[in-house]
Amino acid sequence: MPRGYFITFEGLDGSGKTTQLRRLATTLEADGHTVVTLRQPGGTALGDRIRSVLLDSKSEAALGPIAPAAEMALMFADRAQSIAEVILPALDAGSIILCDRYTDSSEAYQGGGRQLGSERILAMHAAACDNLQPDLTILLLPSLESSLRRARRRNQRHVEQKGTDENRFERESDDFYRRIYEKYEEIAARESHRVAVIRDDASIDHIQTLIHELVSARIPAPATK
Ligand code: TMP
């Protein structure tokens, strides 16, 4: 059984990566691939608990301010669990894994946004993830202005939607998002062999086509039954 293929999706809040991930999953399944999808934080029972602590805007009221290094360590606790429970078994089974965020998010948000720096994140990645890297990362990164606008719009939508409380990150300032954006640029330049950047602000359908072309050029055709 050939090893599977590990693809991650990255981008700022509101970048449309989750929609694109879902669409790619549907297309790849139609092409005959076995696809496993997950998101970080979350995707395991432990990860879902960690997600609600990290993203719920009520957490800080209940627990007090979450220190940036604690936030980083919780992201990696979640990631280590999903590697053990979902990613490695799916790779061993020959599946394509589509993961909504991975270590690049920690580097961009905690390393850049919270200013912990890349070195600490990469050291955590080595310790908690045994340096497991995606085969391909699709980074949705339209212009900074457009990214800030989308992040703000999504923030506003979440505030208006009662019952959706996952907005702790989205209350952050433009400067926070600017630092994340710059860190994503840095990662893309450093890891150009792995990271495919889509800067297009085009329609969802057009970006879907770009992503499908990118992925089908890299993965082998599924074994015929
Ligand atoms: P999302 O599921 O809508 O992408 O939201 C997850 C939020 O968590 C998003 O604001 C980015 C943040 N995050 C980090 O700060 N660090 C991480 O390592 C991950 C995976 C997510």
Side-chain angles (χ1 to χ4, degrees), residues 2-217:
R3 181 186 178 274
Y5 201 83
F6 181 24
I7 301 175
T8 59
F9 279 73
E10 293 285 350
L12 270 82
D13 302 283
S15 62
K17 65 184 168 40
T18 306
T19 305
Q20 292 297 343
L21 184 152
R22 289 203 194 107
R23 288 186 173 209
L24 181 64
T26 306
T27 319
L28 291 174
E29 274 165 356
D31 289 347
H33 292 284
T34 304
V35 179
V36 172
T37 61
L38 81 155
R39 66 174 178 179
Q40 292 189 353
T44 63
L46 176 63
D48 287 339
R49 293 264 188 108
I50 294 174
R51 183 177 180 95
S52 66
V53 168
L54 282 171
L55 301 191
D56 193 330
S57 58
K58 294 194 197 87
S59 282
E60 293 205 317
L63 306 171
I66 300 174
E71 186 179 87
M72 169 185 74
L74 285 168
M75 292 293 182
F76 276 100
D78 162 74
R79 189 161 298 129
Q81 188 68 24
S82 79
I83 288 172
E85 213 178 297
V86 183
I87 297 174
L88 290 181
L91 278 177
D92 286 345
S95 305
I96 298 177
I97 299 143
L98 303 183
C99 189
D100 193 343
R101 299 194 179 281
Y102 190 66
T103 295
D104 295 330
S105 281
S106 298
E107 191 177 344
Y109 281 74
Q110 281 67 54
R114 306 272 190 235
Q115 300 179 286
L116 291 178
S118 291
E119 255 177 53
R120 286 177 83 173
I121 306 299
L122 297 178
M124 280 296 284
H125 184 64
C129 309
D130 203 16
N131 274 328
L132 178 72
Q133 287 289 21
D135 298 301
L136 171 67
T137 296
I138 295 162
L139 170 58
L140 298 183
L141 204 64
S143 70
L144 175 61
E145 292 67 37
S146 159
S147 295
L148 289 176
R149 210 168 39 244
R150 286 155 174 245
R152 268 188 240 117
R153 209 185 310 142
R154 192 173 116 151
N155 181 7
Q156 191 54 37
R157 257 205 321 272
H158 268 182
V159 170
E160 284 161 9
Q161 279 169 7
K162 293 219 167 57
T164 314
D165 231 331
E166 289 196 346
N167 67 352
R168 196 174 69 84
F169 280 89
E170 290 156 8
R171 288 175 318 189
E172 298 291 344
S173 65
D174 281 6
D175 280 349
F176 177 72
Y177 282 109
R178 189 168 294 113
R179 289 195 296 272
I180 294 167
Y181 188 94
E182 285 165 2
K183 190 56 89 176
Y184 269 135
E185 289 276 24
E186 193 183 309
I187 295 168
R190 190 187 69 217
E191 310 269 322
S192 56
H193 56 286
R194 160 176 77 82
V195 180
V197 192
I198 297 183
R199 297 183 186 278
D200 231 315
D201 212 358
S203 70
I204 295 179
D205 288 347
H206 179 68
I207 293 177
Q208 178 185 359
T209 306
L210 288 179
I211 293 175
H212 187 229
E213 283 168 4
L214 207 70
V215 170
S216 30

